[in-house]
Amino acid sequence: MKKIFLLLALPLLAQAQKIDKIITRSETERIETYLASDELAGRKPFTPGIEKAAQFISAEFEKAGLQKTNGSYLQSFPMYQSKVLSVAGGLDEQTLESKQVAIISKEATIQIDENSGFEVASIKEGENFGQNAYRIMSAKKPTIAFLHESFAKYIPRLSGRGPLRENQSTIIFVVANSIPTKFKVNATQQVEKLQLSNVVGIIPGKSRPNEYVIFSGHYDHLGIGKPVAGDSIYNGANDDAAGTTAVMMLAKYYAKKRNNERTLIFAAFTAEESGGHGSVYFSKQFNPDQVMAMFNLEMIGTESKWGKNSAYITGYEKSSMGEILKKNLAGSPFTFYPDPYLDQNLFYRSDNATLAELGVPAHTISTSKMDSEPNYHKASDEVQTLDLDNMTEIIKAIAKSATSIISGQDTPSRVDTAKLK
Ligand SMILES: [Zn+2]
């Protein structure tokens, strides 16, 4: 009996030792500390700090031996930054003032009137501004929207939106209590075309190379803001240097193991905080049918509301992925829970959303206490506030929980897109 027991127990023990040697607290600390350092100045898109972060992640992917796509770990795409220089025009008999207008466009010259074929929309007094403005801004056709004066305070925020995507249509918001019969808007803008980059590395699958499993997190954050107690750098240690660290650690782990049957894709996304542009671009490079699962990792550096050795999965009931992950951790001290903050719409708010909306079992794993995380989106989101031991255990648990998906033994059910919001 003893001998048989030893024979059975050995491989498990060997695996445990190996993972503990690769996913270590000191590696977690080294990577996390650099990503969240003041040197990177809050990793805001279009700043030197985020470029440094991208170089660092690329170098680590290289060291781990991941494959590049198109000769680079950087997956670059163009974005547009625009600044209004002049606005003039009129609404019926009234002259338009520039403070009445917000322009979202990557055109340098805008000259429109009621005959230009723009869609006409409005947000009336008492209507939900956020929902309507979001719908209008995502319109595929050029649109002019007239806002009731009670929403005039939102004009600066609408104007300050950016960066803009390649396919952004021209959207003009004008404060006017009713839709005018005649209107004219003439504007000029300074428009700059800039590059943004995700960082992507690959470990090809041994027997199912065309079936993908994605591990992702966003490496951008908010940059530099108003000083609070002398600190103006938004380090984003938890949001989302922590998830990015996990992606890099998992890449190292699976690169050492080299036993994945499915292809593993590791992605650090840019510009999550400014509109999810990185993950939207990334997600469109795939046939969604080939993506078997996406583990998006967001804010795993603090303890969850249940304490250590636990995390939650957003959209838990929308595919069988959560159940599979839980099954693979049976007997371990680690537990995954369904997202307890449903009213916050986390499933739709992070980088998993684009692929989930195409039916991919794409979920975000997090520990962030969304009702009481004291440093969320503050300059005080620093490494010292994280529990790096617990974070290391979470990364190990994610690695173990993914085992049967990576081997091709389990395939999570697809997200039913008809049931999404
Ligand atoms: Zn985040």
Side-chain angles (χ1 to χ4, degrees), residues 8 16 29 35 52 59 63 82 86 114 175 196 208 210 269 327 351 365 384-385 405:
L8 283 173
E29 185 168 355
L35 288 173
K52 279 189 193 173
K63 256 198 273 172
S82 61
S86 70
E114 66 280 359
V175 178
L196 281 179
R208 303 185 183 200
N210 297 322
F269 297 134
K327 176 199 79 179
D351 288 318
I365 295 174
Q384 294 79 346
T385 66
I405 298 177

Side-chain angles (χ1 to χ4, degrees), residues 209-230:
N210 297 322
E211 296 181 5
Y212 307 137
V213 179
I214 297 168
F215 295 91
S216 63
H218 70 92
Y219 76 102
D220 69 300
H221 194 56
L222 301 166
I224 294 177
K226 281 198 192 120
V228 177

Side-chain angles (χ1 to χ4, degrees), residues 50-281:
I50 198 168
E51 301 295 331
K52 279 189 193 173
Q55 291 310 322
F56 173 71
I57 300 165
S58 299
E60 295 289 322
F61 280 180
E62 180 112 65
K63 256 198 273 172
L66 303 197
Q67 274 192 9
K68 301 172 181 170
T69 34
N70 305 319
S72 178
Y73 294 113
L74 298 185
Q75 181 186 65
S76 300
F77 54 95
M79 293 291 294
Y80 296 81
Q81 195 88 292
S82 61
K83 199 178 144 206
V84 175
L85 300 174
S86 70
V87 185
L91 308 176
D92 291 330
E93 303 313 313
Q94 182 205 343
T95 309
L96 203 59
E97 287 181 61
S98 61
K99 64 171 192 207
Q100 269 180 283
V101 186
I103 292 175
I104 299 168
S105 174
K106 55 187 190 61
E107 305 301 328
T109 310
I110 295 153
Q111 290 186 315
I112 70 152
D113 61 25
E114 66 280 359
N115 300 316
S116 302
F118 267 52
E119 297 284 308
V120 175
S122 67
I123 308 181
K124 298 190 182 72
E125 186 174 18
E127 286 186 335
N128 182 318
F129 179 78
Q131 271 177 15
N132 283 291
Y134 181 78
R135 180 179 49 78
I136 293 164
M137 283 188 290
S138 340
K140 291 203 170 64
K141 289 187 183 160
T143 302
I144 183 163
F146 297 97
L147 310 180
H148 185 264
E149 62 188 358
S150 55
F151 304 123
K153 60 181 180 225
Y154 295 117
I155 287 288
R157 209 195 293 173
L158 291 168
S159 307
R161 264 183 50 93
L164 305 174
R165 288 178 200 151
E166 186 112 69
N167 64 354
Q168 174 70 51
S169 42
T170 293
I171 310 290
I172 301 172
F173 290 97
V174 179
V175 178
N177 287 348
S178 57
I179 297 176
T181 330
K182 294 173 102 182
F183 59 82
K184 186 187 284 237
V185 180
N186 292 340
T188 56
Q189 297 201 109
Q190 181 190 316
V191 181
E192 235 185 317
K193 187 177 180 181
L194 301 161
Q195 294 288 320
L196 281 179
S197 302
N198 296 320
V199 191
V200 180
I202 294 169
I203 306 175
K206 281 161 56 187
S207 60
R208 303 185 183 200
N210 297 322
E211 296 181 5
Y212 307 137
V213 179
I214 297 168
F215 295 91
S216 63
H218 70 92
Y219 76 102
D220 69 300
H221 194 56
L222 301 166
I224 294 177
K226 281 198 192 120
V228 177
D231 184 9
S232 60
I233 299 177
Y234 285 63
N235 302 76
N238 195 28
D239 187 9
D240 187 25
T244 307
T245 300
V247 170
M248 294 163 70
M249 302 278 285
L250 291 165
K252 275 170 204 282
Y253 172 67
Y254 290 119
K256 283 236 165 79
K257 289 193 66 145
R258 288 272 166 190
N259 64 353
N260 51 294
E261 302 296 338
R262 286 177 164 147
T263 291
L264 308 184
I265 300 175
F266 302 89
F269 297 134
T270 186
E272 189 270 352
E273 306 282 9
S274 46
H277 303 298
S279 61
V280 168
Y281 182 83

Side-chain angles (χ1 to χ4, degrees), residues 2 5 10 32 37 41 95 103 133 145 176 180-181 196-197 210-211 215 238 295 318 331 346 350 368 373 390:
K2 225 175 192 174
F5 172 74
L10 261 174
E32 170 66 54
S37 65
T95 309
I103 292 175
T181 330
L196 281 179
S197 302
N210 297 322
E211 296 181 5
F215 295 91
N238 195 28
F295 295 75
K318 296 188 195 307
L346 300 176
S350 191
S368 181
E373 204 61 70
N390 187 47

